[in-house]
Amino acid sequence: MPLNRPLIVVLLLVLLAALALVKRGGREAELREGRILLGTLVEIQVPRGDRAARDAVTAAFAEMARIEALMSPHRPDSDVARLSAAEESLEVAPDTAEVFALGLDVAARSAGAFDLTLGRLKALWDLEGDNPRVPDDAEIAAALEGIGPGALRLDGRWVSKARPDLAVDLGGIAKGYAIDRAIAVLAGAGIEQASVNAGGDLRLLGSRGARPWRIGIRHPRSAEELLATLELSGRAVVTSGDYERFFEVDGRRYHHIFDPRSGYPASACQSVTLVADSAMLADALATAVFVLGPEKGLALLTEFPGVEALIVAADGATHATPGLAELKR
Ligand code: ADP
Ligand code: MG
């Protein structure tokens, strides 16, 4: 039976309207929420908009706030503040012990380029405070006294300090751990795809719909320019850069990643981007490689199979692990 023309037109219109609704529904279903945590904007994205997804995102933010309360040096009750104030040793939370375990391992393997005992040096420079300044040589020498990978010992949940005035700082690793915890909470709530992005350091859960996530890596000297675009599913991407927190005196840039040997900001790199399964490992290694520079940094990374890096050296030249090219699009 031949359909009449007006009926076909009506059917087509209904079909188009239904398609438009489905498409709009799809777009609304993308959840994107931001909170200020760990001193930066944390954004969680889930390509799903139902109630369970919203609850999971709320729980993931709460988990990151819990980690911040344990590891922030600015909270008098945190494990980090209490350990810095302790004479000798302190029993810390299981989370804090886990961060110390990996941090001390990276500290030892990087020959102290990564260092969890830079608390006094960091306070001296006050880069994150109101009055950042270049300290004099005697002050720097005093802040470096007795620091290093051997100055802390972890025994189960007990952290011991080699000397009472040692101040600990988890600023180079805690954010990565908090990102890992947020991903674990999302996955535990049945979320299969997500992105947790803390000021540019991020970890992905699964893919983004049917496609991998696309992650742009910014140029360290031009915020608008991308060094590379990576396509990834379920991995972490963390960058340490000299452009994130710095001040300038007489045209010299003083930033927040310190070389524990000199007590001055590390000068071998402009930025180091690490790709790893864990954001905590990527965070610690990005800081370590930044201090070590491209040659020694890439040598360290051979001990971590599956970890990829894109390094911009101080002279602007880029260096990468062999496997990075496979992630580029
Ligand atoms: P961001 O926190 O900006 O993402 P990083 O992961 O590189 O960047 O961490 C920088 C922070 O790490 C500093 O603010 C300081 O707290 C700490 N830090 C600085 N130098 C070192 C170092 N050599 N080893 C370990 N931590 C460091
Ligand atoms: Mg780091």
Side-chain angles (χ1 to χ4, degrees):
M1 187 192 82
L3 286 173
N4 65 33
R5 195 163 291 174
L7 184 59
I8 291 178
V9 170
V10 168
L11 281 175
L12 269 176
L13 281 175
V14 169
L15 188 69
L16 280 175
L19 272 177
L21 268 178
V22 167
K23 214 175 149 213
R24 212 180 60 207
R27 219 180 302 139
E28 278 170 0
E30 171 101 8
L31 241 172
R32 203 187 260 261
E33 266 194 58
R35 304 263 172 95
I36 299 292
L37 283 165
L38 302 141
T40 192
L41 172 65
V42 179
E43 207 176 32
I44 300 184
Q45 213 177 319
V46 176
R48 232 175 88 170
D50 54 289
R51 179 70 195 269
R54 284 202 303 275
D55 289 349
V57 169
T58 302
F61 279 127
E63 177 69 357
M64 295 181 89
R66 185 179 72 82
I67 302 307
E68 181 177 22
L70 286 174
M71 300 179 199
S72 164
H74 309 300
R75 308 229 186 148
D77 293 339
S78 73
D79 277 352
V80 163
R82 290 188 308 131
L83 182 58
S84 294
E87 283 292 307
E88 201 180 334
S89 57
L90 182 78
E91 186 175 22
V92 297
D95 299 274
T96 313
E98 195 180 332
V99 171
F100 271 105
L102 184 86
L104 290 175
D105 183 45
V106 172
R109 293 202 211 199
S110 66
F114 186 77
D115 193 327
L116 299 180
T117 59
L118 293 177
R120 269 185 292 142
L121 185 75
K122 187 175 167 171
L124 183 62
W125 283 83
D126 197 27
L127 266 145
E128 280 152 35
D130 297 330
N131 299 302
R133 64 187 184 92
V134 182
D136 67 39
D137 291 350
E139 290 174 306
I140 289 181
L144 294 182
E145 223 182 281
I147 68 150
L152 288 177
R153 226 188 50 235
L154 179 70
D155 187 3
R157 281 170 53 187
W158 284 88
V159 186
S160 311
K161 311 197 295 187
R163 45 189 280 166
D165 67 351
L166 215 57
V168 294
D169 172 31
L170 299 181
I173 185 171
K175 203 199 296 169
Y177 181 73
I179 293 171
D180 285 339
R181 286 302 313 152
I183 288 285
V185 165
L186 292 168
I191 304 294
E192 287 170 346
Q193 302 187 328
S195 150
V196 176
N197 186 335
D201 295 345
L202 59 94
R203 181 166 158 188
L204 309 165
L205 182 61
S207 53
R208 186 173 203 255
R211 316 241 329 124
W213 296 85
R214 287 175 70 85
I215 307 299
I217 299 177
R218 70 156 267 190
H219 193 288
R221 291 291 173 267
S222 148
E224 298 82 44
E225 204 181 318
L226 288 184
L227 265 186
T229 300
L230 308 183
E231 277 193 1
L232 299 162
S233 298
R235 305 200 81 194
V237 185
V238 174
T239 299
S240 282
D242 67 4
Y243 52 85
E244 291 172 42
R245 278 180 194 164
F246 68 89
F247 67 99
E248 277 172 327
V249 180
D250 300 332
R252 245 203 93 174
R253 176 185 298 230
Y254 298 95
H255 62 82
H256 71 320
I257 303 165
F258 297 106
D259 186 331
R261 291 163 297 193
S262 66
Y264 269 75
S267 56
C269 297
Q270 296 178 6
S271 74
V272 174
T273 300
L274 260 277
V275 180
D277 289 337
S278 136
M280 169 164 65
L281 179 64
D283 194 1
L285 287 177
T287 306
V289 171
F290 191 101
V291 174
L292 288 171
E295 286 80 20
K296 285 187 181 157
L298 287 173
L300 171 67
L301 293 181
T302 59
E303 292 180 32
F304 297 88
V307 171
E308 307 299 345
L310 179 58
I311 303 168
V312 181
D315 62 4
T318 58
H319 304 254
T321 51
L324 187 86
E326 287 161 39
L327 308 174
K328 278 194 189 174
R329 287 300 168 271

